[in-house]
Amino acid sequence: MKKLILINLLLFAGIATAQEAIIGVKDPEAHKNTDRLAILDTISLPFELSNDKKLSREDILNKKEGFFVTGLPRFEFDPIRGFGVGGNVFFFQNKTKEDPFFYYTPYRYSINTEFFVFENGRIKAAINLDVPYIFNSKWRLRADAVVWEDPNAQYWGIGRESLNNLSFQDKSAGAEGGVRQFNRVNDYEENLKIAVPGNGGRLQTDTHYNQFIQRELLFNALGERVEMGGKLRLMFGYEALFTAFEDYTGRVAEEAFLADGTAVEAVQRQTLVNQQINDGTWDRFNLSGFSDGLKFTSMLAAALIYDTRDLEPDPSKGIFLQYSHEYSAPWLGSDFNFNKFMVQGQFIHTFHRWKNNRNRLTFAGLAAVGHIFGPNINFIEMWDLSSQAEAGGILILGGGRSLRGYREARFMAPTVGLVNLEMRARLHDFNAFNQHFALGLTPFYDFGTVWEGLNDVQLNNFRGAPGLGGRIAWNQSTILRLDYAQSREGGQFFFGFGHIF
């Protein structure tokens, strides 16, 4: 399967390169585009914007005018959910080079639509709207709607103890096997699937020990006003989240095997989420919300952002500092009562450019700390850092957008620290069919840890994983990402859209 994913990326690159050979590297519109730099010196903005927010010279020359559509069908393999099929379609409006914001923003508006279904039944459908400088004002509008259902949502425990090595009863030795530590997550999960005799002689298994069923419906709207020449952003918004969950305890598991590999029917024993709800772990962290009936989380959100990046989807320079806060309370109609905040910093710097500035080597780093507290916390809110810069926040701590070498939600607690380091190398670019493409490689290293609370913070027990990614920038605003990361628990592939930060 790893070969299949790599072949898909190579085929895309090969087709694009073949198109370049046929059509030629030079865009027929390139000569017309050179007057953009002259126009830039004469444009008049309705309000002042800092030069730090201006796009780079190569981004200005390569930027596409008017309305256009990008997107791809997607075929994926997920170690948790099996094969998946779906796609993203992005709609962009850049207007023309006479528009003053053409030189300061990646687009005048964008609409992202996504649909995906996996072999295990996981479904995600989403639509996201983003309108910078709406009506030529200092305001930006963002809105999102997401439908999500996952039969295999991950739960590896809550608290500092989630950092411990994987361990479970060694069922290869029978029903009386002792506790064993597992170095690789695949070996751990294969052990869970082994069926052993239970009470009454019926076979029992632990296939879904670290899983539950999740259903989610999300709506949010966010307004943002820029100050200080566009570098300071003040954001305010509202989020409505409807969630429902089901436990696998007592159900017949889809997969169960005897120690010799023979497939059998077996009942799921107590799951970890069921165990920790009943043993007082959730009470210790003020967690609730695990119900098969819909629970409502009504939240106000705000953020203060200082941003000097030159191109949000694929920046080559700048810093990004953010404090964001979410607040949920019964007076808002919510079933919960909690606060959640995050502090994050990003630094992007290009060390070297070549080939007339078309290729570059850029360092990108992110550091973030998040904390959630309150008398009645919706437990699913611990799954992400409350970034208001993107829908859904930053999923933690593991998976395709945080610690890429570890499973989703592998490490989780009320306080979370995360660091991502990437070296983004753009190695080749070309024009084909009136589209602009840039190909690159991105070695990276992710690491982080979790704490019981702010008073528990200590700089040890971090978990990290290196990796290597491929990148395809399509008309600047669409980034295709293929990452492979290797941790001490195993390796994982991810394919998606956009840098992880």
Side-chain angles (χ1 to χ4, degrees):
M1 181 50 54
K2 295 177 182 178
K3 292 181 179 178
L4 178 59
I5 297 173
L6 288 172
I7 288 170
N8 285 337
L9 183 64
L10 291 172
L11 282 174
F12 184 93
I15 292 170
T17 304
Q19 292 170 347
E20 176 189 359
I22 295 171
I23 299 173
V25 174
K26 300 295 184 182
D27 186 341
E29 300 295 316
H31 294 294
K32 296 180 182 179
N33 292 342
T34 55
D35 66 352
R36 293 177 179 179
L37 299 178
I39 294 176
L40 180 59
D41 295 329
T42 64
I43 61 170
S44 176
L45 290 164
F47 49 87
E48 182 183 359
L49 286 177
S50 168
N51 281 333
D52 289 337
K53 303 301 295 181
K54 189 182 301 179
L55 302 185
S56 66
R57 180 182 183 277
E58 64 272 17
D59 286 333
I60 289 173
L61 293 179
N62 289 323
K63 189 172 182 181
K64 190 174 179 63
E65 295 186 55
F67 176 81
F68 64 96
V69 180
T70 65
L72 282 177
R74 289 166 54 188
F75 303 91
E76 295 187 18
F77 179 80
D78 186 292
I80 301 167
R81 302 169 182 93
F83 290 96
V85 62
N88 291 71
V89 179
F90 300 90
F91 303 89
F92 295 101
Q93 174 58 264
N94 282 348
K95 292 195 174 179
T96 68
K97 60 182 179 292
E98 282 75 27
D99 176 59
F101 293 103
F102 184 88
Y103 304 91
Y104 288 88
T105 185
Y107 42 77
R108 292 310 307 270
Y109 73 77
S110 75
I111 300 173
N112 171 24
T113 60
E114 176 182 358
F115 179 78
F116 223 90
V117 58
F118 277 88
E119 185 180 3
N120 76 325
R122 179 186 186 183
I123 295 174
K124 180 181 180 182
I127 183 168
N128 313 103
L129 171 69
D130 186 9
V131 190
Y133 305 118
I134 187 170
F135 305 127
N136 288 349
S137 73
K138 292 185 177 183
W139 286 93
R140 180 177 191 167
L141 173 67
R142 290 197 289 116
D144 309 283
V146 182
V147 178
W148 177 282
E149 181 169 337
D150 189 352
N152 300 115
Q154 301 289 286
Y155 183 84
W156 301 85
I158 297 286
R160 188 78 168 164
E161 64 182 22
S162 68
L163 295 168
N164 295 339
N165 293 336
L166 297 168
S167 62
F168 203 81
Q169 171 197 359
D170 185 0
K171 296 196 289 183
S172 64
E176 304 301 323
V179 174
R180 170 189 166 194
Q181 286 198 351
F182 295 84
N183 294 324
R184 313 294 277 182
V185 68
N186 288 339
D187 296 336
Y188 169 82
E189 291 178 329
E190 288 303 311
N191 181 73
L192 293 181
K193 295 175 185 177
I194 295 176
V196 296
N199 295 333
R202 186 167 188 185
L203 291 175
Q204 296 181 332
T205 187
D206 299 282
T207 300
H208 298 290
Y209 181 72
N210 296 108
Q211 300 175 352
F212 60 90
I213 301 169
Q214 174 185 1
R215 298 183 180 91
E216 184 174 305
L217 185 62
L218 167 70
F219 303 96
N220 67 32
L222 194 68
E224 168 189 315
R225 182 176 174 85
V226 299
E227 298 292 347
M228 293 177 58
K231 293 188 287 187
L232 184 67
R233 296 155 59 183
L234 307 173
M235 307 171 74
F236 306 93
Y238 174 77
E239 179 177 306
L241 175 66
F242 301 87
T243 53
F245 309 95
E246 294 182 40
D247 181 33
Y248 278 106
T249 300
R251 299 189 180 198
V252 175
E254 289 88 349
E255 290 184 277
F257 305 90
L258 297 177
D260 64 5
T262 304
V264 295
E265 181 180 282
V267 174
Q268 173 67 41
R269 294 197 292 190
Q270 187 181 34
T271 62
L272 182 58
V273 67
N274 185 286
Q275 174 186 319
Q276 294 197 335
I277 288 173
N278 289 294
D279 69 8
T281 300
W282 278 34
D283 293 335
R284 182 161 63 92
F285 292 108
N286 298 330
L287 302 181
S288 65
F290 197 99
S291 169
D292 58 4
L294 283 175
K295 294 290 186 179
F296 178 45
T297 308
S298 178
M299 286 188 289
L300 297 177
L304 179 65
I305 294 175
Y306 181 76
D307 183 5
T308 66
R309 296 172 301 170
D310 54 349
L311 180 68
E312 289 181 27
D314 190 16
S316 65
K317 64 178 181 178
I319 62 172
F320 178 89
L321 304 174
Q322 176 186 16
Y323 175 83
S324 62
H325 201 108
E326 294 178 348
Y327 168 68
S328 179
W331 71 267
L332 292 170
S334 180
D335 293 324
F336 305 95
N337 187 358
F338 62 87
N339 283 268
K340 181 179 178 181
F341 70 82
M342 185 199 69
V343 179
Q344 132 174 231
Q346 298 178 23
F347 175 73
I348 295 97
H349 177 72
T350 296
F351 288 102
H352 181 58
R353 297 177 185 268
W354 67 98
K355 200 179 177 181
N356 294 323
N357 291 326
R358 294 168 64 180
N359 296 345
R360 67 189 188 215
L361 182 65
T362 302
F363 169 80
L366 173 147
V369 175
H371 180 62
I372 188 169
F373 62 98
N376 184 16
I377 300 170
N378 184 355
F379 82 100
I380 203 65
E381 285 296 318
M382 297 186 73
W383 263 247
D384 68 89
L385 296 172
S386 67
S387 171
Q388 298 305 312
E390 59 177 304
I394 303 172
L395 297 180
I396 56 160
L397 194 56
R401 299 189 72 86
S402 58
L403 262 62
R404 283 164 277 191
Y406 289 92
R407 288 294 174 82
E408 293 175 10
R410 176 64 182 89
F411 312 112
M412 189 159 48
T415 307
V416 178
L418 169 67
V419 175
N420 301 115
L421 304 174
E422 296 190 345
M423 190 63 73
R424 301 170 181 172
R426 178 181 292 182
L427 303 175
H428 181 60
D429 78 316
F430 57 91
N431 294 290
F433 294 116
N434 202 27
Q435 309 288 309
H436 182 259
F437 298 94
L439 309 179
L441 292 175
T442 300
F444 59 84
Y445 187 77
D446 308 322
F447 64 96
T449 191
V450 297
W451 302 282
E452 305 278 310
L454 293 175
N455 294 331
D456 183 50
V457 171
Q458 48 193 302
L459 300 179
N460 61 9
N461 237 7
F462 283 84
R463 297 290 177 265
L468 179 65
R471 299 290 184 270
I472 301 174
W474 183 359
N475 284 341
Q476 300 169 307
S477 301
T478 303
I479 307 297
L480 282 72
R481 168 175 49 87
L482 175 65
D483 289 335
Y484 174 78
Q486 179 72 43
S487 74
R488 67 182 188 178
E489 293 183 355
Q492 296 190 123
F493 272 107
F494 298 97
F495 176 72
F497 286 85
H499 292 295
I500 70 166
F501 66 93

